[in-house]
Amino acid sequence: MPKSAYEQAGVSIDRGNQAVERIKSMVKKMGVQEIGKFGGFFPLKGNLRHPILVSSADGVGTKLKLAFLMGVHDTVGRDLVNHCVNDILVYGAKPLFFLDYLASGRVEPKVVGEVVSGVLDGCLENETVLLGGETAEMPGFYRDGEYDIAGFIVGIVGKANVVDGKAIRRGDLLVGLPSSGLHTNGYSLARHIVFEKLHLKVSSKVSELELSVGEELLRVHRSYLKPVKPLLEQGLLKGMAHITGGGLLENVPRILPEAVSVAIEKTWPVPPLFQFLVQAGSVSEAERYRVFNMGIGMVLVIDPKKLSRVEAALEKAGEEHFLIGQVTENRGRERVRIG
Amino acid sequence: MPKSAYEQAGVSIDRGNQAVERIKSMVKKMGVQEIGKFGGFFPLKGNLRHPILVSSADGVGTKLKLAFLMGVHDTVGRDLVNHCVNDILVYGAKPLFFLDYLASGRVEPKVVGEVVSGVLDGCLENETVLLGGETAEMPGFYRDGEYDIAGFIVGIVGKANVVDGKAIRRGDLLVGLPSSGLHTNGYSLARHIVFEKLHLKVSSKVSELELSVGEELLRVHRSYLKPVKPLLEQGLLKGMAHITGGGLLENVPRILPEAVSVAIEKTWPVPPLFQFLVQAGSVSEAERYRVFNMGIGMVLVIDPKKLSRVEAALEKAGEEHFLIGQVTENRGRERVRIG
């Protein structure tokens, strides 16, 4: 078949449609039909009083480079969905629907299919639906075999159930939930340390780590929906912070009222991956808690009187957890002291 | 100040925060306060019966290359918002809120500020709010000075007011609303023709076009919200198609019931830009209506009995319009005949 003028310019509508068909057939299995049209429909049901939509947009950052290096494309979609779910969960919102944006220089239906299957896995894991998305072919923007993805989530919470940190007081406790790895932050530095400084490959094994460095770095950003949902339903949480870019140092202050600061104690076991990275990269104390999550992916702020109920609910959900600090009076600029 | 390990790896949290501050101050003027936290809040008001959320994700595609070449960064955000608004408008939905994703190799606060100011202009123009967004710094992903953007929109429509094309019958009329240029589609081909085949520069003037080729190509993708809103409110529309990638040939069929096809007649004046591109690029008849909008950015499908009311409302809104065809019986694979 002769190439059309458009194909000569590097864009194939047929290849794009092929990818869309692949996605459609996957999405159909989820019971959502509207993909491939202009927009997706989501009927609002239930009788929530004063419903508030909570929405967030995010990407996976340079973790994608790991996926490219390893040729593994079906996990970054889960990273993306889980990251977005956590970002609205911190306000008490449960996900309604998700949309993705996937851009590459040349649409490879196989790779697109793998990426979107990861997105769908993430949606299923979080009991949400993929309502739509855009697959963009942009010649000259991305290197061969590379792509970027962005995700967009909409959730809902009743006004009375919003968790916004306003009730946080001196004496409240900080409970940390474990991360599954780097999640989606700190990859530029991690790659610099592992590949440029240490000259390792993704398949390299080091004594400190269970899996290959590539596999360790690509571990999926986990969702906290399942363990946190029962806590929300019992009204046990005053505030939550998802530990993403900026680490504990920048994410915890986002939810603190003016009157308070927090004192974090290093009570939790820092996972081997972080120990390895900060040592090999000589990453300073101050920087490591800003760039990496250091093993804590979600921080819950609770009334000390509710600690036993919180612990019981987390244990019931099979969720490990650490008492990592408490709320203090405001100490000025240093809102988070890690001692 | 010495560079941190993270900065050496190419990522600056400070530079990112600087960009976020710039965006925050712009957003504050719009009366939305939640940007920079994890997610944005949108209280659902009103008493719409059976409300349906309609959502869409989109990008600007390789039109961005034009923005880079011209060093103009404050229009692509308007392209993005308007494109998304049109994509949900076709179902009768009015925008509630918008989020953006902006990724570059290195966050330049000035450029980010310009891009986001365009997004904000787009939001204002469409009476919607920027509820949040992500600004990602991804070293090694994008060329210096380049970036990609994606937009996500959520709108709402009452179930009884959904425009879905189901009522379209043989004999219905197609009304075309003019595009303002290429909108956001066909740029890879247009750039190939203009810059590679003709060796023109963005500043080049050609006799066929009013402005420089760069300015002509960068014209903002228009929003159809203002002219279409009164038609929706009067219940005058059976279907709408936003003419994006795939052109009239692929977008009109998206809303047609199985029983019908459409016959389009070239009754409208094809704007000089399209005449210039198809001639210079020897773009075949079949391909031009698939790659370019050819001057029609939105197609309305109406009952012929309502034509005079539709025309009166469009005239009142100051909107040019063309009777471009009619609905016929289903002609098999050829759902759109352009004669």
Side-chain angles (χ1 to χ4, degrees), chain A residues 162-169 172 235-240 255 300-304:
Chain A
V162 169
V163 177
D164 59 8
K166 278 183 191 151
I168 294 172
R169 300 280 176 272
D172 285 342
L236 295 174
L237 302 176
K238 285 187 164 189
M240 270 177 278
I255 55 159
L300 315 175
V301 185
I302 62 166
D303 184 325

Side-chain angles (χ1 to χ4, degrees), chain A residues 116-137:
Chain A
V116 177
S117 81
V119 171
L120 289 169
D121 286 343
C123 288
L124 287 170
E125 186 184 338
N126 291 288
E127 293 163 28
T128 187
V129 291
L130 180 64
L131 203 62
E134 166 74 2
T135 305
E137 184 162 42

Side-chain angles (χ1 to χ4, degrees), chain A residues 4-11 13-14 17 34 36-44 50-62 64-65 68 87-88 90-91 96-97 99-101 103 131-134 136-143 146-152 154 156-157 162-164 185-189 191-192 240-246 250-251 254-255 281-283 287 290-291, chain B residues 4-11 13-14 17 34 36-44 50-62 64-65 68 87-88 90-91 96-97 99-101 103 131-134 136-143 146-150 152-154 156-157 162-164 185-189 191-192 240-246 250-251 254-255 281-283 287 290-291:
Chain A
S4 69
Y6 207 40
E7 278 234 282
Q8 281 166 11
V11 172
I13 290 177
D14 286 332
N17 286 348
E34 288 294 335
K37 298 200 171 182
F38 301 99
F41 279 35
F42 192 90
L44 271 177
H50 304 301
I52 295 175
L53 297 180
V54 185
S55 188
S56 187
D58 234 302
V60 175
T62 56
L64 289 171
K65 288 274 187 192
F68 305 155
D87 272 351
I88 62 164
V90 296
Y91 296 118
L96 296 178
F97 59 84
L99 292 92
D100 66 348
Y101 172 79
L131 203 62
E134 166 74 2
E137 184 162 42
M138 297 167 72
F141 269 74
Y142 298 92
R143 295 176 197 183
E146 299 204 348
Y147 50 83
D148 193 9
I149 52 174
F152 163 70
V154 174
I156 197 163
V157 58
V162 169
V163 177
D164 59 8
N185 291 98
Y187 279 87
S188 292
L189 179 54
R191 288 189 301 120
H192 180 75
M240 270 177 278
H242 182 203
I243 309 308
T244 59
E250 291 196 5
N251 285 290
R254 290 177 169 198
I255 55 159
S282 308
V283 186
E287 196 177 7
R290 210 176 172 218
V291 173
Chain B
S4 70
Y6 207 42
E7 278 234 282
Q8 281 165 12
V11 172
I13 290 178
D14 285 334
N17 286 347
E34 288 295 332
K37 299 201 171 182
F38 301 98
F41 280 34
F42 192 90
L44 271 177
H50 304 299
I52 295 175
L53 298 179
V54 185
S55 186
S56 187
D58 236 301
V60 175
T62 56
L64 289 170
K65 289 274 187 191
F68 306 154
D87 272 352
I88 62 165
V90 295
Y91 296 117
L96 296 177
F97 59 84
L99 291 91
D100 66 348
Y101 171 79
L131 202 63
E134 166 73 3
E137 185 161 41
M138 297 168 72
F141 268 74
Y142 298 92
R143 297 177 193 181
E146 299 204 347
Y147 50 83
D148 193 11
I149 52 174
F152 302 101
I153 198 162
V154 174
I156 198 163
V157 59
V162 169
V163 176
D164 59 7
N185 290 98
Y187 279 87
S188 291
L189 179 56
R191 289 188 302 118
H192 179 76
M240 270 178 278
H242 182 204
I243 309 308
T244 58
E250 291 196 5
N251 286 290
R254 290 178 169 197
I255 55 158
S282 309
V283 185
E287 195 177 6
R290 209 176 171 219
V291 174

Side-chain angles (χ1 to χ4, degrees), chain B residues 91-332:
Chain B
Y91 296 117
K94 289 171 198 163
L96 296 177
F97 59 84
F98 185 86
L99 291 91
D100 66 348
Y101 171 79
L102 168 56
S104 62
R106 183 188 151 90
V107 168
E108 296 293 348
K110 186 173 168 289
V111 173
V112 170
E114 285 169 9
V115 172
V116 178
S117 82
V119 171
L120 289 169
D121 286 343
C123 288
L124 287 169
E125 186 184 338
N126 292 287
E127 292 163 29
T128 187
V129 293
L130 180 64
L131 202 63
E134 166 73 3
T135 304
E137 185 161 41
M138 297 168 72
F141 268 74
Y142 298 92
R143 297 177 193 181
D144 283 354
E146 299 204 347
Y147 50 83
D148 193 11
I149 52 174
F152 302 101
I153 198 162
V154 174
I156 198 163
V157 59
K159 193 179 172 190
N161 301 315
V162 169
V163 176
D164 59 7
K166 279 183 192 150
I168 295 173
R169 299 280 175 274
R170 194 176 152 182
D172 284 343
L173 300 176
L174 272 58
V175 175
L177 304 184
S179 63
S180 49
L182 260 60
H183 284 186
T184 43
N185 290 98
Y187 279 87
S188 291
L189 179 56
R191 289 188 302 118
H192 179 76
I193 294 168
V194 170
F195 303 120
E196 289 171 39
K197 199 163 174 188
L198 300 179
H199 302 287
L200 295 174
K201 295 179 180 162
V202 285
S203 58
S204 300
K205 299 272 283 182
V206 295
S207 59
E208 293 91 332
L209 303 174
E210 193 188 341
L211 305 174
S212 71
V213 293
E215 288 165 318
E216 291 281 351
L217 291 171
L218 202 63
R219 279 183 198 267
V220 172
H221 188 150
R222 60 175 295 213
S223 162
Y224 294 93
L225 180 63
K226 287 208 174 94
V228 165
K229 214 161 91 171
L231 303 178
L232 288 173
E233 282 159 7
Q234 293 174 65
L236 295 174
L237 302 176
K238 286 188 163 188
M240 270 178 278
H242 182 204
I243 309 308
T244 58
L248 285 163
L249 289 176
E250 291 196 5
N251 286 290
V252 174
R254 290 178 169 197
I255 55 158
L256 297 181
E258 276 303 305
V260 300
S261 291
V262 301
I264 290 178
E265 284 165 68
K266 294 178 230 165
T267 52
W268 71 94
V270 172
L273 177 59
F274 294 100
Q275 295 184 26
F276 169 69
L277 288 171
V278 299
Q279 196 177 342
S282 309
V283 185
S284 72
E285 276 279 324
E287 195 177 6
R288 67 183 67 164
Y289 289 99
R290 209 176 171 219
V291 174
F292 297 130
N293 66 58
M294 297 300 289
I296 298 294
M298 181 69 85
V299 172
L300 316 175
V301 185
I302 62 166
D303 183 325
K305 289 196 289 289
K306 292 184 173 165
L307 179 62
S308 60
R309 284 180 66 196
V310 168
E311 289 192 318
L314 289 172
E315 267 151 39
K316 198 175 163 196
E319 179 72 21
E320 218 182 342
H321 51 277
F322 311 101
L323 202 58
I324 65 165
Q326 58 181 324
V327 177
T328 66
E329 76 278 23
N330 185 324
R331 283 190 313 267

Side-chain angles (χ1 to χ4, degrees), chain A residues 72-108:
Chain A
V72 173
H73 304 290
D74 60 354
T75 59
V76 291
R78 291 172 62 204
D79 288 306
L80 189 65
V81 179
N82 290 344
H83 187 156
C84 286
V85 166
N86 294 339
D87 272 351
I88 62 164
L89 181 66
V90 296
Y91 296 118
K94 289 172 198 164
L96 296 178
F97 59 84
F98 185 86
L99 292 92
D100 66 348
Y101 172 79
L102 168 55
S104 62
R106 181 188 153 91
V107 168
E108 298 291 350

